[in-house]
Amino acid sequence: MEELGSALPMSGAPYTYILNVSSKSFALIGATLLLLDYIATSMISAATAASYLVGEVKLPIPELGFAVLVLAVLTLISLLGVRESARIALFILTFHMGSMMVLVVSSLLHLGTTGSQQLRDNWNSRSPSSPSSIWQQVFYGICLGMLGLTGFECTPSYIGRIKEGHYPLVLRNLHLPAIALNGTIMVLVLANVPLETVLGGANVLSVLAQTTAGRWLRIWIVIDATVVLCGGVLTGILSACELLEQLAFHRILPEFFCLKLPITESPYVSVFSFVAFCGMLYASAGASLSMVSQMFSLVWLTVMSLFPLALLLLKLDRGRIARTPNTHVLIVFSSIVISILVFAGNIALNPATAGYFLVYFLSITTIFKATQNRIHLLRWVYWLCDEHPCLHSLMLIKIAKVKLIDLMLSLKSQPICILVKTSEFNQLVKMISYVRNSEETSCIKIVHFNDCERGIIPVLEAHAKILREDFPEFLIDLIIVDATFNPPGVMALSNRLNIPTPLMFMSCPGARFPFSIADFGTRIISL
């Protein structure tokens, strides 16, 4: 994550990482997995918060209804324009860490009073019968223990708001406390709570609090869990909305996903779409929190495997870009292998979750693929209308066919901008070929920022004529800008051409490039 964040300090990772180091189709896989991750995070957090509260308070509605209520309330909060707040996040973190410290201290005191008999009983109750069983349980334990780092995949989304040079410290400060706290809490649970209770599906932390300190600490832990889990629901909604907006900017989703409410400026289409996805996923899983949780484990592991894969592609196809540190390729390969092994281990624990994961993954990928290639989809609709003569006499069909043609022409005429530094013909061909394979457009504008050297202009003009003959399906314009290539210049060009910066493509900058790629907001499409 550190090297990727240094090279491409952009939000939306790993989708944006893959988009800048590989093809757009491959990036769609990252977007699908990331959206599934956000959906599962929100649903699991809402359902778990409801589970904690139902275990303590008699509510007039069932647990499922309360989970839906939690999601609805936090959806309303997001529609009111609430955004991530550093102060609120710091308060929740401080409250949570304080609660965990109190729980750890009370558990240690209880353990000192009662002794380690419960730990020995738990150890002996499930002792393996053979060395192979021991190794199998260790392997499954590692596979499940990896899930203790869930949520870390969202860290790159905030890299633009982190002070320069502090991103490695943020990663360190996230990993070390999580590893230490998860390991400590798990040992204390086994030392104080019977294993049958742990495996029975009870809210383990509240049971540990009740066992070690009494009712007052149990209520405290339930409140802490509810606050943290509601924060997880809101984070999932806001992160998903940001991802959906990015997909709309990149013309994968329709532009109306960027529509916002007039007062709160909340992306209401994205919010409602995300909540609808959550509802469909939870309903199709039979409202089973266990099934969604197990499916989420596969989604999270796949998302995390995309980071080393994106880093490997970065080293191979975008090796010129400046970044620190330079992770050894053996470490990258080891990370990919570990991800595959842990993924396989979680499937071995419950093979049925692989089916749910595959169905959800293919469904959302199909939706994204269809919306990305909506001109092809509209052509099919037009063909179906045209192939049935009985429909030709209907006035509604005639109007619809005219509207379809206008819509296809409008979508096809949306321009793409290619920023070029040199007149190298092979490079121009590769960049236009990328546009032909990835974007639905018939208009390409080749832009060269010329601040000193004039000799390149005649060569570019000659190459532009050849490109118009080689790619007759495109209207290719050559634009020479007498200015320095820098972020303000690119932003001014974007405003002048009415082309958003996510649809402005460039080649990979070198190690001595004075700006960050995030300052431009453009996409890297070639070496």
Side-chain angles (χ1 to χ4, degrees):
M1 281 188 179
E2 186 177 345
E3 185 174 351
L4 282 169
S6 173
L8 302 168
M10 304 172 179
S11 61
Y15 161 69
T16 50
Y17 291 160
I18 299 176
L19 187 65
N20 282 273
V21 301
S22 186
S23 65
K24 193 174 183 179
S25 298
F26 187 23
L28 278 181
I29 296 176
T32 300
L33 292 169
L34 206 54
L35 182 61
L36 274 175
D37 181 80
Y38 295 146
I39 291 172
T41 297
S42 296
M43 286 309 307
I44 292 170
S45 298
T48 307
S51 175
Y52 268 96
L53 289 175
V54 168
E56 302 302 319
V57 183
K58 290 185 178 180
L59 298 174
I61 56 177
E63 184 176 322
L64 173 60
F66 194 77
V68 173
L69 180 62
V70 170
L71 184 62
V73 170
L74 291 169
T75 300
L76 178 61
I77 291 175
S78 65
L79 290 173
L80 294 176
V82 173
R83 294 290 182 268
E84 290 96 340
S85 170
R87 292 187 178 89
I88 295 177
L90 180 61
F91 168 77
I92 294 176
L93 175 63
T94 304
F95 180 64
H96 180 60
M97 293 302 295
S99 302
M100 292 299 100
M101 289 301 102
V102 172
L103 182 61
V104 168
V105 171
S106 65
S107 300
L108 289 173
L109 292 175
H110 184 268
L111 180 62
T113 303
T114 59
S116 58
Q117 184 59 43
Q118 185 64 65
L119 180 62
R120 285 194 291 268
D121 292 343
N122 288 338
W123 179 268
N124 294 326
S125 64
R126 294 295 182 99
S127 57
S129 57
S130 64
S132 61
S133 299
I134 295 176
W135 287 110
Q136 184 183 50
Q137 290 191 14
V138 169
F139 174 67
Y140 286 154
I142 293 174
C143 293
L144 294 174
M146 287 283 289
L147 304 178
L149 299 177
T150 53
F152 287 19
E153 71 279 9
C154 300
T155 309
S157 298
Y158 300 92
I159 191 170
R161 306 167 198 175
I162 298 173
K163 189 176 180 180
E164 186 176 355
H166 284 63
Y167 185 58
L169 300 178
V170 171
L171 292 176
R172 181 202 65 187
N173 294 339
L174 285 172
H175 281 79
L176 294 182
I179 294 172
L181 190 60
N182 287 345
T184 302
I185 291 290
M186 196 64 250
V187 171
L188 291 174
V189 166
L190 293 175
N192 291 281
V193 180
L195 189 59
E196 291 74 15
T197 303
V198 175
L199 299 177
N203 298 322
V204 177
L205 293 185
S206 62
V207 172
L208 178 63
Q210 175 77 44
T211 303
T212 59
R215 179 73 176 172
W216 67 272
L217 186 55
R218 181 181 180 120
I219 295 174
W220 184 351
I221 294 300
V222 168
I223 294 173
D224 170 69
T226 304
V227 170
V228 172
L229 291 168
C230 288
V233 176
L234 188 59
T235 299
I237 294 174
L238 298 178
S239 299
C241 289
E242 185 177 5
L243 174 64
L244 293 175
E245 284 186 272
Q246 282 187 327
L247 294 175
F249 285 141
H250 296 147
R251 294 181 183 169
I252 295 174
L253 293 177
E255 293 182 357
F256 59 73
F257 275 85
C258 297
L259 294 177
K260 297 183 179 181
L261 294 175
I263 299 177
T264 63
E265 295 188 354
S266 175
Y268 64 94
V269 177
S270 297
V271 172
F272 287 128
S273 300
F274 176 73
V275 173
F277 275 128
C278 290
M280 288 187 292
L281 186 146
Y282 199 49
S284 61
S288 171
L289 176 60
S290 174
M291 183 58 67
V292 176
S293 299
Q294 291 167 359
M295 189 274 296
F296 167 66
S297 66
L298 300 183
V299 172
W300 180 81
L301 289 168
T302 312
V303 169
M304 294 304 293
S305 68
L306 292 178
F307 286 99
L309 188 58
L311 181 55
L312 184 62
L313 292 172
L314 176 72
K315 291 178 177 294
L316 293 175
D317 297 333
R318 305 290 186 264
R320 296 174 58 242
I321 194 168
R323 60 193 186 275
T324 54
N326 195 347
T327 308
H328 198 281
V329 69
L330 288 179
I331 297 178
V332 179
F333 274 113
S334 299
S335 301
I336 295 174
V337 171
I338 291 172
S339 299
I340 294 173
L341 291 175
V342 174
F343 184 87
N346 278 273
I347 291 179
L349 282 170
N350 191 348
T353 57
Y356 281 91
F357 167 74
L358 193 60
V359 168
Y360 296 139
F361 171 75
L362 292 177
S363 300
I364 296 181
T365 302
T366 302
I367 293 172
F368 283 165
K369 201 67 179 177
T371 54
Q372 180 193 4
N373 299 293
R374 47 188 175 273
I375 293 180
H376 293 286
L377 191 63
L378 293 174
R379 284 176 181 168
W380 276 102
V381 174
Y382 186 90
W383 179 83
L384 289 173
C385 294
D386 198 51
E387 284 296 306
H388 293 80
C390 60
L391 301 176
H392 293 176
S393 59
L394 298 176
M395 183 58 65
L396 183 62
I397 297 299
K398 293 181 179 179
I399 296 174
K401 290 171 67 175
V402 173
K403 294 291 185 182
L404 283 174
I405 293 175
D406 292 340
L407 180 57
M408 286 188 285
L409 290 175
S410 174
L411 293 173
K412 199 71 174 176
S413 63
Q414 293 177 332
I416 293 291
C417 179
I418 295 178
L419 304 171
V420 298
K421 180 182 179 182
T422 68
S423 59
E424 185 179 348
F425 187 73
N426 289 339
Q427 184 74 359
L428 293 172
V429 171
K430 288 180 180 178
M431 298 180 84
I432 293 179
S433 298
Y434 174 90
V435 173
R436 181 173 59 183
N437 296 331
S438 302
E439 305 294 334
E440 289 191 318
T441 183
S442 61
C443 181
I444 298 177
K445 298 185 183 297
I446 301 176
V447 179
H448 172 68
F449 280 80
N450 187 73
D451 54 351
C452 58
E453 185 180 353
R454 287 284 175 180
I456 194 177
I457 297 177
V459 180
L460 276 173
E461 291 174 344
H463 286 172
K465 291 180 181 179
I466 299 174
L467 290 170
R468 293 187 187 106
E469 296 177 359
D470 291 344
F471 299 93
E473 68 271 29
F474 291 114
L475 176 62
I476 299 177
D477 295 328
L478 176 63
I479 301 174
I480 305 297
V481 180
D482 290 324
T484 304
F485 183 67
N486 53 31
V490 172
M491 184 59 66
L493 177 68
S494 172
N495 294 330
R496 181 67 179 270
L497 299 179
N498 195 25
I499 301 176
T501 54
L503 298 176
M504 304 178 79
F505 306 155
M506 60 182 288
S507 58
C508 181
R512 291 182 292 179
F513 191 62
F515 306 103
S516 169
I517 189 64
D519 297 334
F520 292 92
T522 54
R523 188 193 309 175
I524 301 174
I525 64 171
S526 67
L527 183 59

